[in-house]
Amino acid sequence: MKTILSIEHAFVRRDGKYILTDASLKIEKGGHVAIIGPNGAGKSTLIDVLSRNIYPLALDEYVNEAFGERKWIASELKKLIGVVSERNANFLDTPYTVREIVCSALYSSLGFDFHHKVDDADWKKADEQIKKVGLQAKADMPMKVLSSGEKRRALLARTNMTDPPVLLLDEASSALDFPSRADLRELISSYAKDRTIVMVTHELSEIIPEINRVILMKDSKIVMDGKKEEVLTEANLSRLYGRKVFLSVNDGIYTAWC
């Protein structure tokens, strides 16, 4: 498969402490990946490096390639790598309507404070994305009145306005109840048909069946990277979390508990 994202020897330091240590990985087209690990393991930092939201130490050995290129105009790369995270969802707590927020993604803006020339085709595409996430009944409502789950779905609609080949999902369903998490999981699975999915999660039940590779992180490092069924074992998870972990699998959905 073709490699579309690649980093080598990424070190990120904050307040004198490494929060990502010598991270190297390749993401292949269609190779859906889950990243799991304890709090503070470096998972979100790794996503930020992949999306170039933050930049590691400028070491000679550091490499970051996206779609075969090392240099990118940030606004152009954002159209190819869609990011959904709790930070993004909170950022979209605005009086703009769902429809305005979703459509404005085409112009890398938040709403329409500027003089964008929005045509009927743009609005039609926004309506299609809103329908796909099941929010058509709330398209003209302000974002700030939506529930947490609805905001995440609106953010997915916004992110997919540019048809990005890659979706990076960082705790995209955190703080949602389990029915809402199940709905979001099914929605993400629908995107896996024509997107490459990389997701960070604490809940194994959020890992969509299409995920075929799992990365384990601990203490700012990647400690294991391999096929889902080989990585997600009770022994591996117990070592990762430092206590006995039990695991079950039902219809391709994993559940873990201590």
Side-chain angles (χ1 to χ4, degrees), residues 82-85 88-89 92 98 101-102 105 126 129-130 132-135 143 148-164 166-170 172-173 176 180-181 183-192 195 197 199:
V83 181
V84 178
S85 73
N88 296 132
L92 295 181
V98 172
I101 286 295
V102 171
Q129 292 298 332
I130 290 168
K132 187 170 184 178
V133 301
L135 287 179
M143 280 288 299
S148 295
E150 290 166 344
K151 287 178 182 176
R152 302 297 167 82
R153 284 190 278 156
L155 185 54
L156 268 171
R158 174 183 166 85
T159 300
N160 280 282
M161 279 294 287
T162 59
D163 299 313
V166 179
L167 282 180
L168 303 181
L169 310 176
D170 185 7
S173 60
L176 302 186
S180 296
R181 287 203 304 268
D183 289 342
L184 191 61
R185 184 180 63 231
E186 292 173 2
L187 179 58
I188 292 169
S189 282
S190 73
Y191 288 122
R195 307 275 193 272
I197 307 291
M199 61 159 42

Side-chain angles (χ1 to χ4, degrees), residues 216 224 229-241:
L216 303 186
M224 187 172 288
E229 61 273 15
E230 295 175 359
V231 173
L232 290 182
T233 67
E234 290 184 348
N236 288 337
L237 294 175
S238 295
R239 283 192 295 269
L240 183 69
Y241 290 99

Side-chain angles (χ1 to χ4, degrees), residues 16 22 61 76 158 162 179 203 217 232:
D22 200 17
E61 59 267 35
E76 293 302 313
R158 174 183 166 85
T162 59
E203 291 284 345
M217 295 191 69
L232 290 182

Side-chain angles (χ1 to χ4, degrees), residues 203-217:
E203 291 284 345
L204 296 193
S205 63
E206 295 173 5
I207 297 176
I208 60 175
E210 291 82 0
I211 293 287
N212 46 31
R213 173 184 172 195
V214 173
I215 293 171
L216 303 186
M217 295 191 69

Side-chain angles (χ1 to χ4, degrees), residues 6-254:
S6 175
I7 61 170
E8 297 177 20
H9 306 296
F11 290 80
V12 178
R13 190 166 55 199
R14 181 179 297 159
D15 298 326
K17 179 182 178 180
Y18 283 105
I19 57 174
L20 190 66
T21 305
D22 200 17
S24 297
L25 80 159
K26 298 180 186 295
I27 304 296
E28 298 175 329
K29 184 177 180 180
H32 307 306
V33 182
I35 304 171
I36 66 174
N39 289 331
K43 305 182 298 297
S44 294
T45 303
L46 183 59
I47 290 292
D48 282 338
V49 170
L50 286 170
S51 62
R52 305 198 188 193
N53 187 44
I54 62 174
Y55 289 85
L57 298 178
L59 305 177
D60 290 341
E61 59 267 35
Y62 170 63
V63 175
N64 189 336
E65 288 189 356
F67 307 96
E69 302 291 337
R70 295 191 181 186
K71 294 183 178 180
W72 280 90
I73 297 172
S75 60
E76 293 302 313
L77 188 60
K78 285 182 178 179
K79 295 177 182 178
L80 300 176
I81 302 176
V83 181
V84 178
S85 73
E86 186 175 7
R87 296 190 300 275
N88 296 132
N90 291 337
F91 182 61
L92 295 181
D93 189 19
T94 79
Y96 286 111
T97 68
V98 172
R99 196 166 182 249
E100 289 170 334
I101 286 295
V102 171
C103 191
S104 65
L106 293 173
Y107 301 92
S108 298
S109 65
L110 185 65
F112 294 106
D113 282 336
F114 303 100
H115 300 291
H116 300 295
K117 294 182 179 179
V118 186
D119 58 29
D120 290 341
D122 293 340
W123 290 119
K124 182 179 179 181
K125 184 169 186 178
D127 290 337
E128 289 171 351
Q129 292 298 332
I130 290 168
K131 183 178 180 180
K132 187 170 184 178
V133 301
L135 287 179
Q136 58 268 41
K138 299 192 176 182
D140 294 317
M141 294 181 65
M143 280 288 299
K144 64 182 181 180
V145 306
L146 269 58
S147 69
S148 295
E150 290 166 344
K151 287 178 182 176
R152 302 297 167 82
R153 284 190 278 156
L155 185 54
L156 268 171
R158 174 183 166 85
T159 300
N160 280 282
M161 279 294 287
T162 59
D163 299 313
V166 179
L167 282 180
L168 303 181
L169 310 176
D170 185 7
E171 300 287 353
S173 60
S174 64
L176 302 186
D177 58 32
F178 68 87
S180 296
R181 287 203 304 268
D183 289 342
L184 191 61
R185 184 180 63 231
E186 292 173 2
L187 179 58
I188 292 169
S189 282
S190 73
Y191 288 122
K193 296 179 178 66
D194 55 8
R195 307 275 193 272
T196 296
I197 307 291
V198 180
M199 61 159 42
V200 166
T201 182
H202 282 294
E203 291 284 345
L204 296 193
S205 63
E206 295 173 5
I207 297 176
I208 60 175
E210 291 82 0
I211 293 287
N212 46 31
R213 173 184 172 195
V214 173
I215 293 171
L216 303 186
M217 295 191 69
K218 186 175 184 179
D219 298 329
S220 80
K221 300 176 183 177
I222 295 173
V223 296
M224 187 172 288
D225 182 351
K227 294 180 179 179
K228 177 173 64 177
E229 61 273 15
E230 295 175 359
V231 173
L232 290 182
T233 67
E234 290 184 348
N236 288 337
L237 294 175
S238 295
R239 283 192 295 269
L240 183 69
Y241 290 99
R243 61 186 302 173
K244 179 62 178 176
V245 174
F246 301 94
L247 190 68
S248 68
V249 186
N250 245 329
D251 293 330
I253 303 300
Y254 285 73

